[in-house]
Amino acid sequence: MQLFAYNQIGQPDELLVWVGVLDVATPPPVSFIIDGKTIHPVHISPFEPLGDAVCDAQGQPLNHRAIYCLPWPDTNARFHIHVAVGDQQVSLSSRRPPAQLPGKGSDSFNLLLSSCYYQPNDKSHALASLINNIKPEPDFTLLAGDQVYLDLPSSQNLPKDKTGLAQTLGKKYQLNWFSESLNQPGLAQVLRHGPVLCVPDDHEYWNNFPLFQVQLNNTHREQDRASWRDLATQLYQRYQMSPAQSAGFFRQDIAPLSMLFLDGRSDRDEKGEQMFNDVTHVAIEQWAQDLLARKKNNLPAVGLLSSGQALLIEKPGRWARKLADMEMPNYKDFPVLTSALSTLFAQGIPVLYITGDVHWGRIVEGKNPRGNIVFYEVIASPSRLIDTAITDQINSVKDAYRDLKGKGKDFPKHPEAPRDTDDIKFANLSLDTQHRQQGDHVALLRFHAVPGGLEFSVDFICTDANEKKRREYSSTHGPYKLVSI
């Protein structure tokens, strides 16, 4: 039997622990110890199959997960949870999200931002090693999309039958979630720092989901797309989605910060009509109204917004949106988001947007026409870069030529962040790029409350296997200030 557990994000009064077991038809009882004390769950969502169609000779599913709701321990400090199932045990750490951000002079509230993890290219286990020793430890972990690449490599011959497809796709989740017990590279150490929130993007399904892709045979027929979509949805829900985000979004307030995390992928249509479901539309409006109410009551108000794609991005044209990826501006409900943001900016309420997806990192600052800073965008991507057929070979040849002139690149296969944002029109803001990050990396955002709002710094942490590159391309930026009064 293989065991893994992690602390999924929950409602403020919920300490949720996801427990997964492999290779057992009837999972043994689960027990929990927090800081030396046996803890009994207050609620249990019992074991159910993970959705990968792996069964024993009698047809019984062998891989399962359950979700346990535990009482929060009476401490504001970080604590450890020991989870035991049969003769297996694992340990994870967590810290209850505070009701308010700490002030200057106190330990910061730390948010780990990671996205775009391609497990086959992490052979050195560099990501796990770095995250296991990261300081300060994350108080909140956001995996901002592409935690798995179900569609890669694009040359793979995916089964057409549903059982075979479920087993193939499920194996990729197993390698990432159960990586430590399987002695494989993966996300186990990243997931150990809770609470953890996972936001999906296209590779949780397939590239540019839900549109068909020329290079992916299993997306050419509507019947095949439906089978893949159903299986990928079930795997995402069983592995990544907390019950607290089942409506398509998750909201958490840590005053003066009001955070809203959106699933802009799972409910997308193929025509560009809608990327967010109707309930999420309402949640966006409510988030904005709550921030406006705080400002009206002379309370500091700062928004944090996140989804699986970049906000400041050019709208892809007719062919690019079909062959590469539909971006948020391609969808007719994008104005629901931009209208809410414009209203907040007009009232002097600032917003921080964080995401991944684009395979480069950056920090962009936005000022309103009066010259006040009301916006920052922070992107961290990828934690481990994918392989891209043909493009990688072309880039390698180009870099070999540059090497002859002594101008080789440290990351020849990584795309570069745009040098400027002059072509981006967004909420009448003046945009300025503060930093561009290249290579494999994650980001740690460190927050403090200040009069009228908050202050944050960003640690870009290079996760390359090469130690020299890690030292050279890891850097700290800020502090940046966002205030509303």
Side-chain angles (χ1 to χ4, degrees):
M1 184 181 73
Q2 307 291 335
L3 168 66
F4 180 67
Y6 75 105
N7 170 206
Q8 287 188 326
I9 195 71
Q11 300 300 338
D13 59 341
E14 294 178 333
L15 169 56
L16 298 185
V17 180
W18 183 100
V19 179
V21 292
L22 303 180
D23 306 322
V24 58
T26 304
V30 181
S31 62
F32 301 91
I33 295 177
I34 297 181
D35 290 344
K37 297 180 181 179
T38 299
I39 303 297
H40 300 288
V42 295
H43 178 74
I44 301 172
S45 296
F47 278 108
E48 60 182 336
L50 277 167
D52 54 17
V54 175
C55 299
D56 62 14
Q58 288 73 44
Q60 298 183 88
L62 289 175
N63 302 330
H64 305 79
R65 73 98 201 239
I67 296 176
Y68 294 80
C69 182
L70 307 177
W72 283 101
D74 187 19
T75 177
N76 294 322
R78 177 167 297 277
F79 56 89
H80 289 82
I81 307 172
H82 297 276
V83 184
V85 181
D87 62 352
Q88 303 289 310
Q89 59 180 346
V90 295
S91 179
L92 55 139
S93 75
S94 187
R95 185 178 179 186
R96 186 172 188 169
Q100 297 182 339
L101 291 179
K104 296 292 293 279
S106 301
D107 291 341
S108 56
F109 174 75
N110 309 306
L111 187 153
L112 177 65
L113 173 63
S114 178
S115 72
C116 305
Y117 177 74
Y118 188 49
Q119 189 266 351
N121 285 346
D122 192 24
K123 295 179 176 61
S124 69
H125 298 234
L127 179 65
S129 177
L130 284 166
I131 298 301
N132 195 40
N133 295 289
I134 192 170
K135 298 295 180 186
E137 291 183 85
D139 300 309
F140 189 109
T141 295
L142 171 62
L143 300 189
D146 301 339
Q147 282 70 257
V148 291
Y149 282 85
L150 298 186
D151 55 336
L152 292 182
S154 55
S155 59
Q156 66 184 327
N157 185 22
L158 288 174
K160 289 295 182 75
D161 69 284
K162 206 158 188 176
T163 297
L165 184 60
Q167 292 174 350
T168 300
L169 300 181
K171 187 67 174 178
K172 299 185 181 190
Y173 267 101
Q174 289 177 28
L175 289 174
N176 282 10
W177 257 245
F178 293 85
S179 55
E180 190 170 29
S181 62
L182 295 172
N183 196 28
Q184 295 282 336
L187 292 173
Q189 293 298 341
V190 180
L191 293 161
R192 283 267 169 80
H193 297 277
V196 177
L197 173 64
C198 298
V199 174
D201 199 25
D202 54 341
H203 295 285
E204 264 70 33
Y205 300 90
W206 65 78
N207 187 67
N208 206 11
F209 172 85
L211 279 70
F212 88 93
Q213 293 288 276
V214 173
Q215 76 277 15
L216 299 173
N217 290 338
N218 282 52
T219 70
H220 291 179
R221 296 192 308 154
E222 185 175 349
Q223 177 182 336
D224 291 335
R225 290 199 301 277
S227 293
W228 190 340
R229 179 186 62 244
D230 291 348
L231 291 170
T233 297
Q234 186 173 62
L235 287 166
Y236 162 68
Q237 292 175 347
R238 297 283 167 85
Y239 273 93
Q240 298 196 50
M241 189 182 79
S242 163
Q245 59 185 129
S246 60
F249 67 92
F250 176 75
R251 171 83 180 268
Q252 176 125 39
D253 290 357
I254 303 176
L257 195 60
S258 180
M259 304 190 295
L260 180 63
F261 303 90
L262 307 173
D263 178 352
R265 184 61 67 168
S266 297
D267 292 320
R268 284 192 179 197
D269 61 47
E270 299 183 35
K271 298 178 181 179
E273 297 288 331
Q274 188 167 314
M275 59 180 164
F276 301 122
N277 63 34
D278 293 339
V279 178
T280 300
H281 289 163
V282 175
I284 294 169
E285 296 288 353
Q286 186 63 56
W287 169 76
Q289 289 302 316
D290 289 348
L291 284 164
L292 291 167
R294 284 186 61 86
K295 175 72 178 287
K296 186 176 181 180
N297 290 324
N298 294 316
L299 296 172
V302 181
L304 185 149
L305 187 64
S306 182
S307 186
Q309 289 185 296
L311 188 65
L312 303 180
I313 197 123
E314 291 188 61
K315 182 179 179 179
R318 177 180 179 183
W319 295 110
R321 68 179 184 234
K322 292 182 178 180
L323 298 176
D325 202 0
M326 294 268 275
E327 298 287 351
M328 290 199 293
N330 287 121
Y331 279 82
K332 290 185 178 179
D333 61 344
F334 185 52
V336 174
L337 206 56
T338 55
S339 176
L341 291 171
S342 294
T343 299
L344 293 174
F345 297 154
Q347 296 300 316
I349 298 174
V351 174
L352 169 63
Y353 185 83
I354 60 176
T355 191
D357 181 47
V358 286
H359 295 176
W360 38 259
R362 74 178 177 191
I363 302 172
V364 173
E365 179 185 87
K367 294 181 179 180
N368 64 17
R370 296 186 296 275
N372 299 323
I373 298 172
V374 293
F375 178 77
Y376 280 103
E377 176 197 61
V378 176
I379 297 178
S381 165
S383 60
R384 187 64 74 233
L385 185 66
I386 63 173
D387 294 323
T388 305
I390 301 177
T391 301
D392 284 351
Q393 286 71 31
I394 292 173
N395 286 335
S396 294
V397 171
K398 287 181 177 179
D399 198 60
Y401 178 73
R402 286 191 294 263
D403 268 342
L404 294 175
K405 297 184 176 183
K407 298 180 179 180
K409 294 183 176 182
D410 282 338
F411 306 104
K413 295 181 181 180
H414 288 72
E416 294 186 4
R419 291 191 173 277
D420 56 54
T421 53
D422 292 345
D423 295 331
I424 304 297
K425 306 302 179 186
F426 175 64
N428 202 27
L429 298 185
S430 172
L431 303 172
D432 181 55
T433 301
Q434 301 291 301
H435 173 70
R436 298 189 307 145
Q437 183 77 18
Q438 197 178 9
D440 293 342
H441 64 276
V442 298
L444 187 70
L445 286 74
R446 296 177 284 111
F447 294 89
H448 284 105
V450 297
L454 63 82
E455 192 175 84
F456 73 98
S457 297
V458 183
D459 300 331
F460 279 104
I461 302 164
C462 178
T463 59
D464 195 272
N466 183 290
E467 185 177 350
K468 181 175 181 293
K469 291 181 181 179
R470 291 203 301 271
R471 290 196 304 269
E472 184 174 351
Y473 288 94
S474 295
S475 57
T476 295
H477 303 272
Y480 304 104
K481 188 176 290 188
L482 289 171
V483 295
S484 61
I485 56 175

